[in-house]
Amino acid sequence: MKKRQVVIKQRKISYTTTSSSSNVRYVECQKNHAANIGGYAVDGCREFMASGGEGTDDALTCAACGCHRNFHRREVETEVVCEYSPPC
């Protein structure tokens, strides 16, 4: 039995240009401060505010409640722009 090698070349032509941008915000804190006693209590922090500048360890700690940024609910706003130009 002979072995055959098949090469498939695919040409990808794109007539659209797509760009997207997203903004991420961290809003209310969801840390359960009473979890160790079997309860549920949040501190009421409404929005994450970084304690330090970008690139520092304090940038991930909230200045209002002292919690890590991961405890705050993440909101992502995404905007997609798509332009179409017909082939010539």
Side-chain angles (χ1 to χ4, degrees):
M1 183 179 259
K2 287 185 171 181
K3 290 184 178 180
R4 291 186 183 189
Q5 184 178 10
V6 178
V7 177
I8 300 173
K9 292 185 179 181
Q10 185 177 13
R11 227 173 83 186
K12 187 176 180 182
I13 301 174
S14 178
Y15 298 109
T16 61
T17 303
T18 305
S19 64
S20 66
S21 63
S22 62
N23 295 329
V24 178
R25 269 183 29 161
Y26 293 91
V27 290
E28 69 267 1
C29 184
Q30 298 177 334
K31 183 177 181 180
N32 183 3
H33 293 277
N36 59 349
I37 59 170
Y40 181 77
V42 292
D43 58 12
C45 179
R46 302 290 294 156
E47 186 172 0
F48 176 80
M49 294 180 292
S51 293
E54 190 69 30
T56 63
D57 289 338
D58 288 335
L60 299 176
T61 304
C62 182
C65 65
C67 296
H68 192 273
R69 186 177 72 181
N70 288 347
F71 286 109
H72 290 259
R73 187 171 58 85
R74 184 175 186 213
E75 281 187 349
V76 180
E77 287 182 16
T78 305
E79 179 179 307
V80 177
V81 178
C82 185
E83 297 176 9
Y84 174 75
S85 60
C88 299

